[in-house]
Amino acid sequence: MKSTRIVLASRPIGMPEQENFRTETVELEPPKPGQALLQTLYLSLDPYMRGRMSDAPSYAPPVEVDQTMCGGTVSQVLESTDPALRSGDIVLGYGGWQTHSVEWVAGLQKLDPALAPLTTALGVLGMPGLTAYSGLLTIGKPQPGETVVVAAATGPVGATVGQIAKIKGARAVGIAGGPEKVALLRERFGFDAAIDHRAPDFAEQLAAATPDGIDVYFENVGGAVFDAVLPRLNQYARIPVCGLIANYNDTDLPPGPDRLPLIMSAILRRSLTVRGFIVSEFMNQAAEFIPAAAQWLAEGKLTYLEDVVDGLDHTVESFQGLLTGKNRGKLVIKVSE
Ligand code: NDP
């Protein structure tokens, strides 16, 4: 069996470019006992992949140069050496940027195609959904009537954060890039207020949208959004630090004065809780999250938006778009039928 795959050809400096990747077709080894041969149906593209392209110290090892780029996948089993899976089964795995893969059956999760569209296993019912659920409820702890603010709010993490905040009785303020996404926040996801972080008067708009201050800031982006949020944070505000996408392509610290004393004194004077997390810490919450989210979906309390791009050959440009806000919802590559 041959697999067409995209490998990391060199480590990007700044925005990843096409020349940092190489497409090649290789012969796969037949599956060993305990392994299965899979055909990729859908590949998830996620911001964390920018970190895997770098060899800077991180919470997970980098993808090595000349190795297949990593990524979550929904695949069909073509051949299995383990009775737990049969040919034709659909599984959630970690096949990476390629058309076929050989994976350990123990690391695969069988999906029921009748339960929900398969792509949701990569988005609202998958890793990004759990990230939103655990980060918001375990660290953010929103209370009825409190104000929750989240950016990248049309994406799978942000949109889910805003909607769970509403389910818990909080007021949800969403931040996104451009008028089309801002309209989505209000009309599709039901945010109480929606703001464009690219607007020249963004900080003033945020102040007007948070008249009672901010009790939970779910940090997805950092950068200029954090600057506008900091003065609005209330006493005892909670800040789950989930992602800092505004900085993922940075090659150096930004110029300007040292702002650490400003940030630390805000943490001190306003008794802020700032707590970073990686979703893997909360994998034990998946068993409560999936049925809860499935029920909210069925009740119409939770909705999702997916941006499905056809063809593995569009993966690199789609990933660039994720880092610049071109995606509209959870970005997924449809690799095969
Ligand atoms: P999204 O689908 O929301 O895509 C990323 C979005 O980030 C873009 O669409 C863009 O939206 C926004 N963005 C990009 N650059 C900037 C910028 N400079 N300022 C403000 N917004 C920007 O991604 P996800 O929902 O998958 O992920 C959201 C965040 O959560 C990321 O930071 C990601 O790394 C993090 N994450 C963390 C996990 C963890 O375990 N801690 C797990 C999963 C995700 P717009 O056009 O609206 O600006």
Side-chain angles (χ1 to χ4, degrees):
M1 176 58 72
K2 289 187 179 354
S3 178
T4 298
R5 63 185 196 177
I6 300 174
V7 301
L8 184 67
S10 57
R11 300 210 180 277
I13 298 165
M15 176 62 85
E17 301 294 347
Q18 291 283 354
E19 59 262 29
N20 297 124
F21 304 91
R22 188 175 67 244
T23 301
E24 56 189 32
T25 299
V26 293
E27 192 75 39
L28 290 174
E29 295 279 321
K32 298 188 183 77
Q35 291 186 325
L37 172 66
L38 309 177
Q39 176 171 5
T40 314
L41 305 179
Y42 296 102
L43 163 67
S44 179
L45 290 185
D46 298 273
Y48 76 83
M49 292 168 174
R50 180 64 188 86
R52 297 295 91 74
M53 294 169 193
S54 159
D55 60 3
S58 184
Y59 61 90
V63 171
E64 295 301 333
V65 170
D66 294 332
Q67 293 302 305
T68 310
M69 269 305 302
C70 61
T73 44
V74 169
S75 306
Q76 183 155 34
V77 177
L78 297 182
E79 191 186 321
S80 173
T81 61
D82 187 313
L85 285 180
R86 288 188 308 176
S87 166
D89 283 346
I90 307 290
V91 291
L92 176 67
Y94 206 65
W97 297 16
Q98 58 185 338
T99 59
H100 297 78
S101 59
V102 173
E103 292 184 63
W104 292 101
V105 170
L108 301 171
Q109 183 190 327
K110 193 171 162 183
L111 297 175
D112 179 358
L115 212 61
L118 294 177
T119 45
T120 58
L122 301 171
V124 66
L125 293 178
M127 182 278 283
L130 178 64
T131 301
Y133 178 90
S134 302
L136 181 66
L137 298 184
T138 307
I139 304 171
K141 298 187 172 72
Q143 303 302 309
E146 286 192 330
T147 298
V148 175
V149 173
V150 63
T154 60
V157 176
T160 310
V161 164
Q163 293 175 92
I164 296 178
K166 298 275 301 174
I167 289 168
K168 298 293 173 186
R171 189 166 168 273
V173 177
I175 298 168
E180 190 201 331
K181 286 189 176 182
V182 168
L184 277 172
L185 291 181
R186 284 210 190 85
E187 291 154 22
R188 187 171 181 121
F189 296 116
F191 279 82
D192 297 291
I195 310 168
D196 181 355
H197 67 82
R198 296 198 197 124
D201 62 343
F202 164 64
E204 290 78 14
Q205 286 193 40
L206 181 69
T210 56
D212 300 327
I214 298 171
D215 302 294
V216 180
Y217 173 53
F218 192 99
E219 175 62 291
N220 267 342
V221 302
V225 173
F226 178 79
D227 289 341
V229 162
L230 186 64
R232 307 292 311 151
L233 292 168
N234 288 334
Q235 192 82 16
Y236 300 119
R238 287 82 66 199
I239 302 144
V241 180
C242 172
L244 298 165
I245 196 167
N247 306 122
Y248 288 176
N249 282 325
D250 287 358
T251 51
D252 216 337
L253 290 172
D258 177 3
R259 295 182 316 128
L260 191 61
L262 176 84
I263 295 167
M264 292 303 275
S265 78
I267 293 171
L268 173 65
R269 284 183 292 104
R270 280 180 264 157
S271 308
L272 305 178
T273 299
V274 182
R275 154 84 145 91
F277 73 101
I278 302 299
V279 63
S280 47
E281 177 189 349
F282 295 120
M283 279 305 161
N284 61 352
Q285 295 187 6
E288 71 178 56
F289 156 69
I290 293 172
Q295 188 176 340
W296 291 331
L297 282 170
E299 292 169 353
K301 291 180 180 163
L302 179 63
T303 188
Y304 61 95
L305 180 65
E306 293 177 338
D307 189 343
V308 182
V309 177
D310 210 342
L312 189 69
D313 46 335
H314 294 298
T315 303
V316 175
E317 71 200 46
S318 299
F319 184 71
Q320 290 171 323
L322 184 70
L323 298 175
T324 52
K326 290 205 174 67
N327 61 310
R328 300 279 176 276
K330 171 64 207 159
L331 184 58
V332 174
I333 301 291
K334 183 176 179 183
V335 179
S336 65
E337 290 296 334

